[in-house]
Structure formats: C-alpha cells, structure tokens
Amino acid sequence: MLLSRSLAPVTVALLLLLPYHAMPQAAAHVRRPQAAPLFGAECRTRVRGSHVVAFCHNPYVETDRVRLHIECARWWDLDTDTPPADAGPAMTVRLSGRCWAEVGSVWVSHQRRAG
C-alpha cells in the first residue's frame, strides 16, 4: 500500500511533463466514405388496355440509358423490350410498346452509358 501511494504523485508528474505530441490522441479526422454520384432518370409508366407508355426524365448530369420492358399476361403473347434510349441531362424521353391482349407487368431498366 505504501508503495502505491508514493508512486501516484510521481506518475502524475511524469504525465504532466510529457510533451503534448507524445500523449495518445483521439483521431481528429475521421474519413467518411464518399457518396456515389446521383444517377438515374425518374420514370412514370401508364397502361391503357394493351398499350404502355413511359416518360423518363433525367435530372442528373450523367446520361441514363433506359429501356421499357413489357410482360404480357397471356402465355401466347410475346413480351417486348424497347430499344435503349439515352436520357441526357435535363432531358425527357418517351418509350412505348404494347401487348396483343392484356399487360401483365411493366418496368424500366437503367444503365450507365459507357463513355
């Protein structure tokens, strides 16, 4: 017990005499992962009977290559995919297609243009 009481003032004195840069410090600069650049046109689809129309507006700088995919409800009806259309910055593109009978489902795919 006596030894620990006599070492306490010496330990405190040594800590106070250490240079500031020799003391352990908390990380002052924390690296945060960079957010991915915003990408992707906003698309709205409309189905009327067997006809489908999609309007895609791209508010971002990078060009978005969009395609409309139509899955028909009947097994004998052919599903269709439109050719890709480039939606440039601040541009709106119109995509359309149809089934012979009822439409089962509709979606738009997005792709970054290689360049």
Side-chain angles (χ1 to χ4, degrees):
M1 285 293 214
L2 219 56
L3 185 61
S4 65
R5 285 186 191 168
S6 63
L7 286 180
V10 174
T11 306
V12 170
L14 282 175
L15 287 174
L16 291 175
L17 293 176
L18 280 174
Y20 180 76
H21 63 275
M23 307 252 326
Q25 301 294 321
H29 183 275
V30 177
R31 281 197 152 196
R32 294 193 172 123
Q34 290 184 346
L38 298 175
F39 171 78
E42 178 186 342
C43 298
R44 295 182 180 169
T45 59
R46 183 180 69 206
V47 178
R48 286 200 177 155
S50 62
H51 295 272
V52 179
V53 175
F55 292 95
C56 296
H57 177 72
N58 183 12
Y60 303 115
V61 176
E62 194 173 347
T63 299
D64 184 4
R65 182 167 282 174
V66 292
R67 290 182 78 173
L68 175 63
H69 306 277
I70 304 168
E71 190 172 286
C72 300
R74 307 288 178 153
W75 66 268
W76 47 263
D77 206 346
L78 295 177
D79 299 340
T80 57
D81 299 322
T82 64
D86 288 339
M91 187 175 167
T92 301
V93 296
R94 180 181 184 272
L95 306 166
S96 63
R98 63 169 299 204
C99 293
W100 286 102
E102 299 88 19
V103 174
S105 62
V106 174
W107 68 95
V108 177
S109 62
H110 304 264
Q111 179 183 15
R112 290 184 192 271
R113 199 175 100 191

